[in-house]
Amino acid sequence: MVASSRGFTTQLDLKLSTLSISYGLARSKKKRMCFPRDPLTLLSRISCCCSDPVVPVRRATGSCKSNEKVEDWRFDSKKSPLRVRVQAPSSMPFASAQSRVPSKQEKFYSRCTPRNSGPQSRDTPPKRDTGIANEKDWGISLLNESVNESGTNEDGSTWYQESGEDLGENGYRCRWTRMGGKSHDGSSEWKETWWEKSDWSGYKELGVEKSGRNAEGDSWWETWQEVLHQDEWSNLARIERSAQKQAKSGSENAGWYEKWWEKYDAKGWTEKGAHKYGRLNEQSWWEKWGEHYDGSGSVLKWTDKWAETELGTKWGDKWEERFFAGIGSRQGETWHVSPSAERWSRKWGEEHFGNGKVHKYGKSTTGESWDIVVDEETYYDSEPHYGWADVVGDSSQLLSIQPRERPPGVYPPLDFGASVRQDDDQSDKPPTSKS
């Protein structure tokens, strides 16, 4: 759906793809087991898109460390000004990440808008399955002075921009910038906030929050954070990144939500994960996955996906693997429940002994079973493909945040009280799906 007013061109993509079955989260040579595909395991796909007489150019690309495809909508000056859409393949549903490098849309508006007319519209909805963007993709640029401006554009749309600084105890400082705008009739609106935080303990934070809606009633919200701090248990430097995204259709019962997180420390300890939910009319789906590396060679990975319809059909797939020093295990289950509550499942497992021997076993509710020992090499990733050195290299803006100057003889408070390490609901242990 596209609502077009100068500075207010948006599209909300709502698509569903197959609930895929695989063992690995990261690329590897590990073996894969394939099961017969049931027609009911296919989720429908929908793309809502209405044409406007004139649609500005837009480009969306993935983050630097991803292999995601590119959506590119262009004008061809030698041809009629029709929009051409190149859609990423279904193996990468909703694949395209918001880029904060000046887009073709922003360049288009900069040519058509008088100078000093306020911030340009940044009302692009988030995209599904694009993970956590790097800080340079957001283009965060905080003002060094307090600003409070607003105005009206030639087409009647309004805008505002504010910036300031908040101070607190222990050297706390938060520099922030807020901006936003509305179309002339108020049917489209966008808001965005940037901030950086620091204090005398060495804590640093960089963040973004944005939201918007269009004339069709579609709405969205997104937040991104990057944090540097000293871990209270290991006293090691730690960088954490997170993102939350959601979008909702204004014309049908459709929407989605995602929460992503990554945590790294200077000795190689790494944790990554995501929780996802989506709905399209009578169908809903969920996905959770996690990766945990202890920095010494121990690895845990898991995934749990399931979906259901209002008629009562349910299906899903889950697996986990644990390895250390070439020894470990994999196990999983694929299942399906019919509207009449008839249940089918296939469970499987592998034991890797580290000597070239692998014990494979499994069974299904239809009477299948196997229990064999085979000669097979063991493949798994003992280290994350994106780790501490990578995140440090991609966090230059976070690391360059300057804290307030500390007066002589003033030190940050120390808390030696007992505390419990908490990661909200970001557990590194696999959950049990609703099977």
Side-chain angles (χ1 to χ4, degrees), residues 92-148:
M92 299 296 294
F94 298 95
S96 67
Q98 170 184 321
S99 174
R100 298 319 308 161
V101 175
S103 66
K104 289 188 175 181
Q105 173 180 334
E106 292 165 338
K107 293 178 181 178
F108 176 87
Y109 286 131
S110 65
R111 297 195 300 268
C112 301
T113 306
R115 292 185 178 181
N116 302 321
S117 61
Q120 298 303 311
S121 171
R122 301 164 67 92
D123 58 348
T124 307
K127 300 297 179 181
R128 282 197 59 213
D129 280 333
T130 52
I132 304 173
N134 288 329
E135 60 181 31
K136 65 181 180 180
D137 296 325
W138 283 102
I140 300 172
S141 180
L142 296 167
L143 302 176
N144 292 321
E145 67 279 348
S146 295
V147 170
N148 190 344

Side-chain angles (χ1 to χ4, degrees), residues 19 38-42 283-284 305-318 333-347 365-366 433-435:
L19 188 64
D38 189 297
L40 289 173
T41 64
L42 300 179
Q283 296 179 328
S284 301
K305 308 177 185 179
W306 68 99
E308 63 183 40
T309 70
E310 291 182 349
L311 297 177
T313 302
K314 302 179 181 180
W315 61 98
D317 174 65
K318 57 185 176 181
E333 179 185 11
T334 302
W335 56 271
H336 177 272
V337 179
S338 69
S340 61
E342 181 180 358
R343 191 178 194 281
W344 170 88
S345 72
R346 177 186 281 119
K347 297 181 179 180
T365 54
T366 56
S433 63
K434 299 178 181 179
S435 61

